[in-house]
Amino acid sequence: MGGDEPDTNQKIGNTVKQAVGKEAIPPRYEPTYDELEPAYRYGYGARLHYGEDYPEWDDELEARLKEEWGDLEPSRKAAWEADREAIQRAWEFEDADEA
């Protein structure tokens, strides 16, 4: 509408649902789940792959995952700091079946 605010990158259907209270309005300047999904998937998969070698998240594991993330998602390499939290959250996620 001519403002200086950033594009919210959503469809009209989302806007209508938000207007009538059927969908939450996403906070500005925070990534959406769709944007973070690759990081969550990577963190969860990394735990399955490296969990025996690294039972806890530590600096050595983080360095390894950071390097791999840059190779697997070159477009997100510079965004490691933004993606790191989602990757670690997924790494530390415990399946309800395992708990």
Side-chain angles (χ1 to χ4, degrees):
M1 301 261 190
D4 292 331
E5 293 297 319
D7 183 6
T8 58
N9 194 25
Q10 68 179 25
K11 295 179 173 46
I12 189 71
N14 299 109
T15 303
V16 171
K17 288 176 187 174
Q18 291 163 1
V20 297
K22 293 189 178 201
E23 184 175 302
I25 298 171
R28 290 194 185 269
Y29 310 111
E30 289 187 24
T32 64
Y33 178 79
D34 288 341
E35 293 167 335
L36 291 175
E37 183 183 12
Y40 284 125
R41 293 171 62 90
Y42 174 67
Y44 189 78
R47 176 62 180 248
L48 295 175
H49 187 73
Y50 295 121
E52 288 185 26
D53 296 334
Y54 299 95
E56 300 290 324
W57 184 278
D58 62 19
D59 292 341
E60 183 181 334
L61 171 66
E62 185 171 332
R64 184 177 201 163
L65 297 182
K66 181 179 181 179
E67 184 177 332
E68 278 186 10
W69 183 241
D71 293 340
L72 292 170
E73 292 286 337
S75 66
R76 301 289 304 163
K77 184 174 185 172
W80 169 257
E81 290 306 316
D83 295 335
R84 180 194 168 279
E85 185 178 330
I87 292 169
Q88 185 174 2
R89 190 176 311 131
W91 171 273
E92 294 172 345
F93 178 79
E94 289 189 30
D95 254 335
D97 294 338
E98 293 178 13

